[in-house]
């Protein structure tokens, strides 16, 4: 099954079928049929919402959606964390709504990173029900019990005592979650792979046609530091052809330090592996970016072993990794160090104990907004602030009208 998944992913990101294996080419007719059925289902769903068969609900606080048009590896989770920390620093307690997909590695990482802050992480497939549970427990800014100051001024909120009341929702992987109204639509793209062959799932990586960008406010090009300046220019031109007013922002994952998987509180400098043989092991959406980052850090030799996104490691996987490690050690006469991503760590920290006596480190990285073509962190935060202020002001006016009536 793992091999089949990898074959389908290679087809989705290949622009030249002649370079595919005969097995992969034989899969294309079946994938094309499945893609056509997916397109039909997508169209029906769209019309259900268009004609009111399915309803869209509006939550009482600003909803910032962070989603994507393609498969994973686009930086959604780091962007969700970035926005959550910005809101918390502005005195607003945000609620992240996460599906908890495939073992909940993303939610686990968010909770670990954001522990002790104003941020709450709600997990559940029914986002509306999850939000209602948190609203009932903590209250929300804009409810009748909230003060006028709490409700209206973002500038003043920074100077107010911290409140547990929820002031904003961050919808993690929210672009295809149509049942909730979005006040700000952020779409993430992996700058290395973009939209692949441009086809819908499963023939291609697209969840929706690129034309769906018309409903987006911001497009984020992630891993922009790993592609050329000319490619960044070309991406802007392509996206602006779809929507001229689209704000395009570029981001990167800046490595911070390593930590031992047996001791999460450890901090190991990036330079520690400068003379080491490294085996990158990952089950994430963008293994290429992870490997390129390790190469930039400056390890003596970098090899890789990739699994499909959200893969749950088994004992047989650990045995496969050990075989690879032994081969590297024999070839290069140096004991390799395994490096995994934080998502791999959070999926199952204990599984890596099976790799003893080899050392296993996890790479901690942080999303940073790059200054490209006038799009920088300040401009992005201004957009966030405007969205929150406008929504909270409208809530305030609605509450005042209710009181007056």
């Amino acid at each position: 099954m793992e091999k089949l998944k990898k074959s389908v992913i290679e087809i989705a990101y290949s622009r030249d079928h002649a370079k595919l294996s005969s097995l992969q080419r034989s899969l294309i007719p079946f994938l094309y049929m499945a893609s056509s059925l997916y397109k039909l289902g997508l169209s029906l769903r769209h019309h259900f919402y268009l004609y009111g068969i399915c309803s869209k609900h509006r939550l009482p606080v600003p909803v910032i959606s962070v989603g994507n048009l393609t498969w994973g590896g686009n930086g959604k989770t780091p962007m969700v964390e970035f926005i959550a920390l910005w809101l918390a620093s502005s005195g607003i307690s945000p609620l992240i709504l996460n599906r908890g997909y495939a073992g909940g590695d993303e939610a686990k990482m968010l909770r670990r990173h954001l522990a002790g802050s104003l941020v709450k992480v709600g997990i559940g497939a029914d986002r509306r029900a999850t939000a209602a549970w948190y609203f009932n427990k903590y209250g929300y800014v804009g409810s009748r019990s909230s003060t006028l100051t709490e409700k209206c001024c973002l500038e003043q909120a920074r100077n107010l005592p911290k409140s547990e009341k929820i002031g904003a929702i961050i919808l993690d992987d929210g672009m295809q979650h149509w049942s909730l109204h979005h006040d700000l639509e952020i779409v993430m793209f992996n700058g290395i792979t973009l939209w692949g062959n441009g086809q819908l799932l499963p023939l291609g990586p697209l969840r929706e046609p690129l034309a769906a960008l018309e409903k987006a406010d911001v497009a984020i090009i992630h891993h922009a530091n790993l592609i050329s300046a000319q490619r960044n220019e070309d991406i802007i031109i392509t996206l602006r052809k779809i929507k001229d007013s689209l704000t395009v922002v570029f981001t990167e994952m800046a490595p911070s330090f390593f930590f031992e998987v047996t001791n999460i509180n450890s901090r190991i400098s990036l330079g520690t592996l400068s003379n080491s043989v490294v085996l990158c092991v990952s089950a994430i959406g963008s293994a290429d970016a992870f490997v390129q980052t390790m190469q930039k850090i400056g390890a003596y030799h970098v090899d890789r072993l990739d699994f499909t996104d959200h893969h749950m490691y088994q004992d047989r996987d650990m045995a496969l990794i050990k075989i690879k490690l032994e081969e590297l050690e024999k070839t290069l006469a140096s004991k390799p160090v395994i490096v995994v991503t934080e998502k791999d760590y959070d999926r199952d920290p204990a599984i890596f104990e099976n790799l003893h006596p080899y050392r296993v480190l996890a790479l901690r990285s942080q999303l940073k907004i790059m200054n490209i073509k006038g799009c920088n962190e300040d401009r992005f935060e201004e957009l966030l602030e405007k969205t929150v202020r406008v929504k909270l002001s409208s809530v305030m006016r609605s509450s005042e009208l209710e009181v007056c009536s």
Side-chain angles (χ1 to χ4, degrees), residues 361-391:
L361 304 178
L363 177 65
R364 174 72 181 264
S365 299
Q366 184 178 12
L367 181 139
K368 290 190 176 179
I369 294 179
M370 302 171 69
N371 190 353
I372 297 178
K373 303 296 286 184
C375 298
N376 53 34
E377 187 169 326
D378 289 340
R379 185 175 172 186
F380 181 63
E381 290 179 351
E382 284 170 10
L383 185 60
L384 293 176
E385 185 168 347
K386 180 181 176 183
T387 301
V388 174
R389 186 192 296 115
V390 168
K391 175 69 175 183

Side-chain angles (χ1 to χ4, degrees), residues 229-283:
Q230 183 57 53
R231 185 168 169 81
N232 285 329
E233 291 266 8
D234 293 341
I235 291 169
I236 292 174
I237 292 168
T238 301
L239 295 178
R240 293 270 167 78
K241 284 180 180 176
I242 299 170
K243 185 176 182 179
D244 184 58
S245 61
L246 191 68
T247 299
V248 183
V249 178
F250 297 87
T251 59
E252 64 174 309
M253 289 305 292
S256 303
F257 57 86
F258 299 106
F259 62 84
E260 301 273 2
V261 294
T262 54
N263 179 13
I264 195 170
N265 295 316
S266 60
R267 280 188 172 227
I268 301 160
S269 68
L270 298 175
T272 301
L273 299 185
S274 59
N275 296 314
S276 301
V277 174
V278 171
L279 177 64
C280 295
V281 176
S282 66

Side-chain angles (χ1 to χ4, degrees), residues 115-154:
S117 71
L118 288 173
V119 184
K120 301 167 184 66
V121 182
I123 303 172
D126 188 340
R127 316 286 185 93
R128 188 184 175 207
T130 304
W133 187 89
Y134 276 86
F135 287 153
N136 185 59
K137 182 175 182 179
Y138 296 101
Y140 59 88
V141 176
S143 60
R144 285 192 174 190
S145 60
S146 296
T147 66
L148 187 66
T149 312
E150 276 183 314
K151 288 186 283 187
C152 71
C153 292
L154 188 63

Side-chain angles (χ1 to χ4, degrees), residues 187-400:
V187 185
M188 307 289 298
F189 287 101
N190 183 335
I192 299 171
T193 55
L194 289 177
W195 36 85
N197 60 14
Q199 300 293 325
L200 289 173
L201 294 170
L203 180 59
L206 288 175
R207 294 176 172 185
E208 296 182 69
L210 276 177
L213 273 174
E214 291 176 0
K215 62 186 178 184
D217 302 295
V218 184
I220 308 282
I221 310 303
H222 195 46
H223 299 308
N225 60 312
L226 301 177
I227 58 179
S228 68
Q230 183 57 53
R231 185 168 169 81
N232 285 329
E233 291 266 8
D234 293 341
I235 291 169
I236 292 174
I237 292 168
T238 301
L239 295 178
R240 293 270 167 78
K241 284 180 180 176
I242 299 170
K243 185 176 182 179
D244 184 58
S245 61
L246 191 68
T247 299
V248 183
V249 178
F250 297 87
T251 59
E252 64 174 309
M253 289 305 292
S256 303
F257 57 86
F258 299 106
F259 62 84
E260 301 273 2
V261 294
T262 54
N263 179 13
I264 195 170
N265 295 316
S266 60
R267 280 188 172 227
I268 301 160
S269 68
L270 298 175
T272 301
L273 299 185
S274 59
N275 296 314
S276 301
V277 174
V278 171
L279 177 64
C280 295
V281 176
S282 66
I284 57 174
S286 184
D288 286 344
F290 173 47
V291 173
Q292 286 184 47
T293 298
M294 285 306 305
Q295 289 168 340
K296 282 193 166 190
I297 286 174
Y300 167 68
H301 178 86
V302 178
D303 210 323
R304 63 193 289 175
L305 199 54
D306 306 337
F307 297 84
T308 54
D309 198 12
H310 299 292
H311 174 74
M312 293 295 294
Y313 293 115
Q314 307 293 328
D315 288 342
R316 63 178 178 271
D317 300 319
M318 297 300 109
L320 181 66
I321 294 168
K322 268 198 168 180
I323 291 171
K324 183 75 172 178
L325 290 166
E326 288 164 2
E327 289 174 355
L328 283 172
E329 187 171 6
K330 184 178 179 180
T331 304
L332 299 171
S334 178
K335 193 167 188 175
V337 177
I338 306 104
V339 178
V340 301
T341 70
E342 283 194 276
K343 282 189 181 180
D344 295 295
Y345 168 82
D346 281 307
R347 207 172 296 127
D348 186 359
I351 192 75
F352 297 111
E353 292 175 7
N354 294 330
L355 297 175
H356 182 79
Y358 292 97
R359 189 183 191 190
V360 186
L361 304 178
L363 177 65
R364 174 72 181 264
S365 299
Q366 184 178 12
L367 181 139
K368 290 190 176 179
I369 294 179
M370 302 171 69
N371 190 353
I372 297 178
K373 303 296 286 184
C375 298
N376 53 34
E377 187 169 326
D378 289 340
R379 185 175 172 186
F380 181 63
E381 290 179 351
E382 284 170 10
L383 185 60
L384 293 176
E385 185 168 347
K386 180 181 176 183
T387 301
V388 174
R389 186 192 296 115
V390 168
K391 175 69 175 183
L392 290 182
S393 296
S394 68
V395 169
M396 181 195 72
R397 287 195 296 271
S398 299
S399 296
E400 286 177 336

